[in-house]
Amino acid sequence: MLKKETDGLRTLPARFGSTEELDDFLSRPDAALIEDMKAVEGDIIILGAAGKMGPTLARLARNAAPDKRIVGVARFSDPQSRRQMEDWGIETIQADLLDPQQVQNLPKLENVIFMAGMKFGASGNQPLTWAMNTYCPALVASAFHASRIIAFSTGNVYPLIDVLHQGATEDTPPGPRGEYAQSCLGRERIFEHFSGLHGAPGRLFRLNYAIDLRYGVLHDLATRLKAGQTIDLSPMGHVNVIWQGDANAQALRSLRHCTTPTSPINVSGPETLSVRWLLEELCQRMGITPRLTGTEPGSAWLSNSAEAARLFGYPTVPVSVMLDWVADWVMRDMPSLNKPTKYEVRDGGF
C-alpha cells in the first residue's frame, strides 16, 4: 500500500497492491465490532461461507473474536478457498446445505450467519433457485431453532421506489419482481415462520450493493468504461452501495440487535447515488471520456438504511474513497471475480 489518507475516524490506504492486501484490509475489525463481539455470547457458524463475501466475513469474525470458535460451512468446490480459510484460523466443514442429514449433523452453535443462496443464473434454473432460497432456509431454520440467525437477504424484495423518496424503509411492503426476488421473500418468510414458532431471535439482512474491488456496481461501471462500452442509463439510473468490509461488520454486529421474531434491517450506504454521477467521477479518475445513452427512470431499487446507521453509525469507507480504489484497481488490470451485479435489471430476471 502507498501513502495513507484518513476519513477522520480510520486510516485508509490510498490503494491496494495485491489481493492479499485487499483481503487483509477487508478483514480488519474496528473497535466497535470488537466490543460487540465481546458482548455476543457463544460461537459463530457461517453457512455458505465460500461465496463472494463469506471468506472475508469469516476472517473478520476470527480477527474480531479471537476467543470464539468460528466455523465456515460450504461445498468448497474450490479446495484453495477452503485451505485459505483454514490458514486464517477458521474451522471449515464441507457440506451440502440442501441435504437434510448434513444440515442436522452440523454443530449447533449459538450464532448463525446464513449466506447461502442463488441469484445469478436464477432465471435459467428456477427450481434450484427456489430450493436454495426457500428449502435450504427451512432446513437451517429448523435445525438451528435455538440459535440467533442473521439471514442475508436483498433489497430486491422491495418494489421500485421513486428516486426522490430516499429508498424503501423496513416498513415498506414487499413488492418483488421476478422469481429471484420472489424466492428471496420466500426465504425471509421461512425464517420468520420458524423464528416465531421457536421464539428464536434473528435479523433479515437486506443488503444492496456490497463493493469489493473485484466485483460490485462500481467495478461493473469501471470495467465497461475501460472497455470503451456505451452505457445505457435508461434501465437503472440510481443505486445504493456500501463497502463490503462495512457490510460484513454490520452483519456480525447485528447479532447484538436480534429481534424475536426476526425482522428486516436495510444495509447499504446512506446516499442515493446517480449512476451518471458515478460514471463521471470514475472517468475523471481513469482519464476516460464516458459514452452514455438513455435517460434515467424515476424509480430504482433503493433502500433507506437510516436504522442501520442508528445502530452502527455511518459506514467507515465513503463513496469517494471507493471510487478512488476501484478506478485504480481496474486501470491496473487487477484481478476480477467476473461476476457482474446486473444492477441495471428492472424485471428481476437475473
Side-chain angles (χ1 to χ4, degrees), residues 211 228 248 298:
I211 299 297
N248 281 343

Side-chain angles (χ1 to χ4, degrees), residues 22 31 47 73 78 96 99 111 117 133 151 154 178 186 198 204 223 245 255-256 281 283 288 305 350:
L22 175 58
L47 305 181
V73 179
D78 176 10
D96 180 357
D99 185 312
N111 302 287
N133 292 346
T154 171
H198 299 293
L204 306 169
T223 53
L255 290 167
R256 279 200 72 186
E281 291 293 310
C283 284
I288 292 174
S305 57
F350 296 102

Side-chain angles (χ1 to χ4, degrees), residues 11 46 55 63 82 94-96 131 155 158 196 315 322 333:
T11 301
I46 301 158
N63 292 339
R82 185 176 188 180
Q94 188 170 34
D96 180 357
Y158 292 121
M322 286 187 262
D333 293 317

Side-chain angles (χ1 to χ4, degrees), residues 10-50:
R10 186 180 187 189
T11 301
L12 300 175
R15 69 190 299 194
F16 298 93
S18 65
T19 56
E20 290 77 16
E21 287 185 1
L22 175 58
D23 285 338
D24 285 347
F25 180 77
L26 284 166
S27 307
R28 189 182 306 163
D30 62 13
L33 175 58
I34 292 170
E35 287 304 307
D36 276 352
M37 287 296 92
K38 289 178 181 176
V40 172
E41 294 183 2
D43 299 319
I44 301 172
I45 187 167
I46 301 158
L47 305 181

